[in-house]
Amino acid sequence: MLLAIDTSAGTSVAVVDLERGILAELGTEDTMRHAEVVGRLVADCLAAARVGVGDLSAVVGGMGPGPFTGLRVGIAAARVFALGAGKQFVPIVSHDAIAFGRYRAGHVGDLVVVTDARRREVNWSAYSGADDVGLPIRIEPPGVAKPAVLQAPDWAHAGSPRFDAATVSAGDLGLVAELCWAHQRAFAVDEALYLRSPDVTMSTGPKRVS
């Protein structure tokens, strides 16, 4: 039984179980109020699934890629919840959840997953299909680029089917984690996939005043 949280594109929270699937999932496409809604969504999702904190085995966090401000809210929420509940934190690449959902819906073969990276750029990941347990096979790590790059005829994945996702399903994120757990596959690296520097940087020291 896993609680999954993703704020890489909108905010999504779900409770999943390997055998019973997605028990409850709530979310919003709003990309500006992650911090305001994530706590309430977690509480409401647990209530809808009729699951107590003690019933959970772990907490899954979507590691992106995604814009810095939004993405870190979900990762922090998942880590803090896991710490407070005494549960394991499980990192999963958010694009893998999107690809998993597409393959589960019947897509076969190559796939390029694309999400909004802001600043007139997009995040993308490339997949070659799903493996024998349904997990997506990622052949290119998440990247960030101008939209024109992905439309160029000489781009490495030109011609591959493309799926532009406005949101990430925390339910699919949790099911990816469940399958990885059940079949002893590696989780993602516990590092947020910002892919570029944040807008605000730490000061290097006081400025000279003339």
Side-chain angles (χ1 to χ4, degrees), residues 32 37 44 49 55 68 87 93 102 107 148 154 156-157 168 186 195:
M32 303 300 292
V37 303
D44 290 349
D55 298 323
F68 181 85
K87 307 296 181 180
V93 174
R102 297 302 295 169
H107 182 83
D154 59 347
H157 303 284
V168 176
L195 303 188

Side-chain angles (χ1 to χ4, degrees), residues 181-206:
W181 202 322
H183 298 280
Q184 298 183 331
R185 306 291 174 81
F187 298 129
V189 176
D190 190 0
E191 182 177 340
L193 295 170
Y194 297 129
L195 303 188
R196 65 183 178 211
S197 301
D199 293 326
V200 179
T201 57
M202 296 294 291
S203 172
T204 57

Side-chain angles (χ1 to χ4, degrees), residues 130-148:
D131 65 14
D132 57 345
V133 300
L135 288 168
I137 303 169
R138 185 161 19 93
I139 56 174
E140 287 273 8
V144 61
K146 296 292 185 182

